[in-house]
Amino acid sequence: MARHKADEEAVDQQDEYTNTSLGEKDGGGFSSRQGSVAYAKLQNPLAGMTYEELMDDVEKFAKEKDLVFALDDLKKGALVSQKRTRFETIEMLSEDEKESIRREKTNRWKQPAMMYYMTILCAGSAIVQGMDQSAVNGAQAFYFPYFSITDDEAAGQCGWWNLLLARFALGFAVGAKSSTTPVYAAECAPPEIRGALAMQWQMWTAFGIMLGFVAGVVFSEVQIPAGQVDSQWRIILGSTAIPPLFVCAQVYLVPESPRWYMSKGRYKKAFSSLQRFRWTRLQAARDLYYIHKQISIEYEMQKGKNLWKDFFVTPRNRRAAQSSFFVMFMQQVSDYNEEYFSITFYTIDTFGRRNLLLVTFPLMGIMLLISGFSFFIDAETNPTGRLAGVATGIYLFMVVYSPGEGPVPFTYSAEAFPLYIREYGMAFATATTWGFNFILSLTWPALEASFTTTGAFGWYAAWNFFGWVFAYFCLPETKERSLEELDTVFKVRTRDHARYYLDMLPWYFTKYVLMRDVEPRVPLYAIEG
């Protein structure tokens, strides 16, 4: 209990700073912010309600949604949502219920079996996508000569266009899958581990890409029937049809996203879904009621609006789109469209999405410069040195890319948008990354010819340095916020976000360069309740 008391005192101390206006704290000796930055509180819609008002609202909610059977749990859950940092003071909660809430922070990776099964399903979906992306590379070695396809023309036996149409249709499937799977994972996971589960989309896509290359090697010598010289490419492409069958069979064994059920008015189904994704009925009831209150506010705001127009016109949505576009765009122009396995599984929910990018952007730029400048080494007199320089730069680039621009974009985009336009937002983000993937692949030869190889590497290195500047001043942090609380995060104007972090530069310099003691910095966001 002493540990929990200390935690509460730490929270109270933080509240003391966060409830002080920005103009009153100088962050350790440098000039006052003079109220120039908008201070955003993540408004808890239950924070201003009295006990009687809250209980009446819960009873009304339970009757309207046919959830009277869970009324006791809903009342307790509403109190926990209202006093999220002070739940220890709620007398209605048993010690076991309080311990289940504590474990959300102290033992975040101990989750119900359905949470892990959902994760396996999403991982399987990513593996399928990875195989679809890479298996075609091995098949090309065989179907290019079969269809008489060269660099300059595509001619020969009629039928090659069937393959082209099939791959074109597959692209639509890949786009739909890559825009829905991360969203599904993000909507089912609790905030404490949401980032780690959502980023697994990228990690297992990488594994699928590896399997696609393995299939190309394994089946390169297989001829069925024996002596059928054109069978290899058919078998390689056909092998990618097997994993989706297993993934499709699993889809029927997991519940739908509770937020999707609630958006369709099916609250009993949503509660059942949450019960399978949470340890206790109390936790499920808490999340159900709190999500309902936040969604109700969102729906009131979007009544009578054109969703696509609202996507770009409403400042909150436009900032989310700007941030998602940025991380997806930078994933491509960082230079390499390679895949990776990542330590970010452990850091994305603790260190933060924004911080990962701030650390990795300049390092990626430096590694690209190392690779690019290595081409100045004469290939005839010192081929080993040139190869070593290029390979070292590329390898270290991928090491740095793995925890940053690799997994962050899909995780960030899956959580940035409000529920009512989340499908539009993720579709926009996915189209951005695949669109620039195509553009960069198409333009690299011309860029290399015009800029030289060193210049081309330098071009993409410059984008990484630009990425650091933009991320520092304009990219909001999203870690450990519920999907509903992020609505308030993105309501902070970009200019105010930039001004806040501009004013923070002296604080960082004093603390980390001069190594002096400074006052705790005033957070840009704080949670009421």
Side-chain angles (χ1 to χ4, degrees):
M1 294 300 294
R3 174 168 59 85
H4 297 306
K5 183 178 180 180
D7 290 342
E8 290 183 16
E9 289 176 354
V11 170
D12 293 339
Q13 184 180 25
Q14 180 181 10
D15 289 343
E16 177 184 345
Y17 291 114
T18 58
N19 290 325
T20 304
S21 69
L22 293 175
E24 295 171 353
K25 291 284 181 180
D26 64 5
F30 59 87
S31 62
S32 169
R33 296 181 179 84
Q34 299 176 345
S36 63
V37 180
Y39 169 54
K41 287 187 177 180
L42 301 180
Q43 297 289 342
N44 185 334
L46 312 178
M49 302 175 69
T50 65
Y51 176 83
E52 291 75 15
E53 290 172 339
L54 183 62
M55 294 300 101
D56 289 344
D57 189 71
V58 172
E59 290 180 4
K60 180 180 178 181
F61 167 72
K63 291 177 182 178
E64 286 181 354
K65 306 303 181 183
D66 195 19
L67 293 168
V68 178
F69 64 91
L71 183 58
D72 289 342
D73 291 307
L74 287 169
K75 287 182 177 181
K76 294 179 182 179
L79 287 171
V80 173
S81 294
Q82 186 184 50
K83 302 179 179 181
R84 68 185 75 184
T85 60
R86 303 187 300 276
F87 67 89
E88 300 279 2
T89 64
I90 301 175
E91 296 180 356
M92 292 177 62
L93 300 182
S94 67
E95 183 58 30
D96 288 341
E97 289 172 329
K98 290 180 181 179
E99 181 60 26
S100 68
I101 298 174
R102 295 181 198 124
R103 285 200 302 265
E104 292 179 336
K105 298 291 187 182
T106 62
N107 199 1
R108 66 177 66 188
W109 289 109
K110 189 175 182 181
Q111 296 290 332
M114 183 52 66
M115 182 66 70
Y116 290 114
Y117 191 78
M118 180 274 294
T119 304
I120 293 173
L121 170 65
C122 294
S125 179
I127 290 171
V128 168
Q129 169 150 326
M131 289 191 68
D132 289 337
Q133 288 178 227
S134 61
V136 67
N137 294 310
Q140 284 176 351
F142 299 97
Y143 72 66
F144 269 31
Y146 180 74
F147 290 120
S148 300
I149 300 175
T150 68
D151 293 337
D152 301 318
E153 62 178 353
Q157 302 180 41
C158 61
W160 66 269
W161 55 270
N162 289 323
L163 184 60
L164 176 63
L165 291 177
R167 294 296 300 179
F168 187 76
L170 180 63
F172 283 102
V174 166
K177 184 151 50 63
S178 60
S179 63
T180 55
T181 305
V183 169
Y184 176 67
E187 291 185 345
C188 294
E192 292 77 15
I193 62 171
R194 185 181 66 241
L197 294 190
M199 64 76 54
Q200 287 194 75
W201 167 259
Q202 291 292 80
M203 185 174 74
W204 290 107
T205 296
F207 184 75
I209 287 176
M210 182 194 72
L211 291 182
F213 285 123
V214 169
V217 174
V218 169
F219 297 118
S220 62
E221 301 297 331
V222 176
Q223 298 181 357
I224 301 176
Q228 183 71 30
V229 295
D230 64 337
S231 63
Q232 292 97 331
W233 67 269
R234 302 177 193 273
I235 298 172
I236 293 171
L237 294 180
S239 66
T240 63
I242 298 175
L245 298 178
F246 293 97
V247 175
C248 186
Q250 293 181 67
V251 170
Y252 299 98
L253 303 179
V254 296
E256 180 57 86
S257 159
R259 286 177 175 82
W260 184 86
Y261 276 134
M262 295 171 73
S263 70
K264 304 301 179 183
R266 300 162 66 178
Y267 277 76
K268 291 180 70 174
K269 286 280 191 180
F271 184 53
S272 176
S273 176
L274 279 169
Q275 283 183 279
R276 300 176 73 183
F277 286 125
R278 303 292 186 266
W279 277 116
T280 65
R281 279 170 60 98
L282 168 64
Q283 291 167 306
R286 174 201 61 191
D287 291 349
L288 183 80
Y289 181 68
Y290 188 71
I291 293 171
H292 163 74
K293 296 300 291 184
Q294 293 280 10
I295 289 176
S296 298
I297 295 172
E298 284 186 4
Y299 282 169
E300 285 298 321
M301 295 173 60
Q302 60 95 18
K303 277 184 178 179
K305 296 181 179 179
N306 180 292
L307 294 187
W308 271 116
K309 181 180 179 181
D310 195 47
F311 181 78
F312 293 104
V313 172
T314 301
R316 179 261 181 270
N317 298 336
R318 188 170 63 247
R319 293 184 194 108
Q322 167 191 287
S323 299
S324 295
F325 175 88
F326 166 73
V327 293
M328 287 296 196
F329 170 75
M330 289 304 302
Q331 187 181 61
Q332 300 302 323
V333 300
S334 295
D335 189 11
Y336 288 102
N337 183 33
E338 301 291 338
E339 300 296 337
Y340 41 81
F341 292 96
S342 181
I343 61 171
T344 315
F345 185 81
Y346 302 100
T347 60
I348 196 167
D349 283 313
T350 54
F351 194 55
R353 291 77 155 137
R354 179 176 175 272
N355 288 336
L356 285 170
L357 296 180
L358 291 177
V359 170
T360 56
F361 270 136
L363 294 176
M364 286 192 295
I366 292 171
M367 299 313 155
L368 290 179
L369 291 177
I370 291 174
S371 293
F373 288 139
S374 295
F375 284 95
F376 284 127
I377 300 174
D378 190 273
E380 295 183 0
T381 60
N382 190 7
T384 303
R386 181 176 187 175
L387 178 61
V390 174
T392 299
I394 292 175
Y395 176 78
L396 293 177
F397 173 89
M398 294 310 302
V399 169
V400 178
Y401 182 87
S402 293
E405 264 300 323
V408 167
F410 275 93
T411 300
Y412 195 99
S413 300
E415 63 192 4
F417 298 95
L419 179 64
Y420 74 98
I421 61 164
R422 190 164 295 151
E423 294 86 353
Y424 293 82
M426 197 59 195
F428 168 80
T430 303
T432 298
T433 193
W434 291 118
F436 279 101
N437 177 288
F438 171 76
I439 292 172
L440 266 65
S441 300
L442 190 66
T443 58
W444 171 261
L447 182 66
E448 186 179 23
S450 300
F451 282 27
T452 73
T453 303
T454 299
F457 273 85
W459 167 259
Y460 287 116
W463 276 109
N464 281 278
F465 296 125
F466 163 80
W468 186 93
V469 175
F470 187 95
Y472 180 81
F473 288 107
C474 303
L475 189 69
E477 179 57 83
T478 61
K479 80 178 181 78
E480 294 186 343
R481 305 296 189 196
S482 75
L483 296 179
E484 288 68 42
E485 290 166 353
L486 290 175
D487 190 50
T488 306
V489 170
F490 285 102
K491 285 181 179 177
V492 176
R493 296 184 303 177
T494 302
R495 73 185 70 172
D496 294 328
H497 187 280
R499 190 177 296 118
Y500 171 85
Y501 281 102
L502 177 64
D503 291 344
M504 283 300 299
L505 286 174
W507 188 93
Y508 289 125
F509 182 81
T510 304
K511 181 177 177 64
Y512 295 111
V513 179
L514 301 181
M515 304 296 289
R516 296 177 183 173
D517 292 334
V518 294
E519 291 283 344
R521 63 177 182 172
V522 182
L524 181 58
Y525 313 111
I527 300 177
E528 281 193 348

